[in-house]
Amino acid sequence: MSYTAKSFSNEPSGPTVVTETIPGPKGKEAIAKLGEVFDSRCAYFVADYEKSTGNYIVDVDGNVLLDVYAQIASIPLGYNNPNLIEVAKSDKMIRAIVDRPALGNFPGADFEQIQRDLLKHAPKGQTHVWNGLSGADANELAFKAVFFNYLSKKRGFEKPFSPEEEASCMENLAPGNPEIAILSFKRAFHGRLFASGSVTRSKPVHKMDMPSFHWPTAEFPAYKYPLEQFSEENKEEDARCLKIVEERFQNWRCPIAGVIVEPVQSEGGDNHASAEFFQGLRDITLKYGAKLIIDEVQAGCGGTGIMWEHERYNITPPPDLVTFSKKMQSAGYWFHDPELIPNQPYRQFNTWCGDPKGIILAAAICDEIVNNNLLESIRETGDYLYDKLETVQNKYSKIVSNLRGKGKACFIAFDLPSGELRAEFLNKMKLAGVNVGGCAEVGVRLRPGLIFEKKHADIFIAAMDKVLSTL
């Protein structure tokens, strides 16, 4: 019996659309009222989460949609998962919510075990975790760890700050606040805060009007598809992009302390790279004494059919830091070098130092994935779905192109000819009973939960075929 059959006996057999538009009348009214107390302009529709179950999301108009977007890749095990609900009802979860501790100063007696439960699921080679509150927060915390480590090495780990350093940092000046940088890539997305915004390069709307750090950017490979037909061209693309990275290290106006990269650039268009590219980045960071940060916020926690996507590339030695959030329902970064722990207390610190309820849920999610072999299941579904999508691409070759994500479970994307046609496609897919999302200017990305099965893939393909026939 499949996981969905066992855990979601009341999951619908298929979508149901009862309104002529989505949102329908009740949804439009709900969005308007929400707009009185919240910026609701980005709302696609208003969901009824009490009625949503498994792979299906229900809106306030009563539309039942197959959800292959899953809260922008953030719901790993379906809506109203009964096993996670039991965890939510546990005594340790009640303590974490009601008596939420300031973990840095007043950790609870159970916090050591809570952390160890999470660390069981760390990427290969990672032995420590520092907790955060969101993906952007995780990345900014990782930058702080990298910068502290970089300057502590120069100063000497045991050497105290000089009076000049202490005085100058209070004025936002060197030497206490030196010019050092994090390198990122064009089309990258790492968050919408200040440092994370500085390394985000996917869309102007994410960072317009914000002060930013003058940090370097390099080019992420832009492959030709299908990969097997363009292997030589794509190898040349790897070499071209790595050459740019090394040139930045050699010529940037200030030292580059770290490189941050997604194993798959998701928001920026579902752009993939090879093992050779990622190993090349690792080699360059080692050569120039910089840290390698892998941003697993969207790809991590099983979305690509393995727990951590960067492990597919066998990066040697392992990345210095790996950030996580989204499907984990928690956030933070994994690391293995004890020297990434700041040389003094209260440097990497805030009131909460993470959120214990999220950490508890993250460990439970990972346990559920492992104990039920959900990675194997989603890989099988992904292979099945990709084959079906290849047939659709061949049938609608003037509309669908650059199908990508083969062998990476349901972490799949394809392109349409224009942003206008993409918007029409996404809207019509909702009316056909499927909630799916976009990326970059023309991409469509699939991000179902790990409980997505072949029967759900068939429903998606049928809806897609129906919609494409009208474009």
Side-chain angles (χ1 to χ4, degrees), residues 24 57 151 185 193 238 248 274 291 305 362 377 388 408 415 427 454:
I57 187 169
L151 272 300
F185 293 87
L193 301 178
D238 282 344
R248 295 292 186 270
S274 67
K291 301 298 185 187
S377 173
K388 297 280 187 180
K408 298 187 178 183
D415 291 338
N427 183 57
K454 292 178 182 178

Side-chain angles (χ1 to χ4, degrees), residues 283-431:
D283 295 342
I284 291 171
T285 56
L286 292 171
K287 180 178 178 179
Y288 292 95
K291 301 298 185 187
L292 178 61
I293 307 167
I294 301 290
D295 179 344
E296 285 268 15
V297 168
Q298 185 156 154
C301 196
T304 65
I306 61 176
M307 203 65 180
W308 304 103
E309 170 61 12
H310 74 276
E311 292 182 349
R312 188 184 305 275
Y313 305 114
N314 193 30
I315 300 169
T316 307
D320 298 290
L321 306 95
V322 179
T323 58
F324 64 89
S325 188
K326 284 192 178 285
K327 280 187 178 67
M328 292 289 283
Q329 303 290 299
S330 182
Y333 62 84
W334 313 102
F335 65 106
H336 59 270
D337 184 355
E339 287 190 351
L340 282 167
I341 299 171
N343 61 341
Q344 293 186 22
Y346 284 105
R347 301 195 73 194
Q348 191 72 292
F349 190 83
N350 55 55
T351 298
W352 302 121
C353 295
D355 184 348
K357 69 178 184 293
I359 301 169
I360 293 167
L361 195 57
I365 287 167
C366 293
D367 285 343
E368 197 77 1
I369 292 169
V370 172
N371 294 340
N372 292 279
N373 297 317
L374 292 181
L375 297 180
E376 180 180 352
S377 173
I378 196 65
R379 287 195 297 268
E380 291 178 1
T381 302
D383 290 344
Y384 177 83
L385 175 59
Y386 197 92
D387 287 346
K388 297 280 187 180
L389 285 168
E390 283 185 318
T391 301
V392 172
Q393 180 175 241
N394 291 333
K395 182 178 179 180
Y396 298 99
S397 59
K398 293 183 179 179
I399 304 175
V400 179
S401 64
N402 293 330
L403 178 64
R404 51 203 182 272
K406 187 174 185 177
K408 298 187 178 183
C410 296
F411 209 87
I412 297 171
F414 53 86
D415 291 338
L416 299 181
S418 68
E420 292 77 12
L421 200 64
R422 196 265 305 271
E424 183 181 355
F425 173 82
L426 296 179
N427 183 57
K428 286 187 172 182
M429 284 294 284
K430 288 185 180 67
L431 293 174

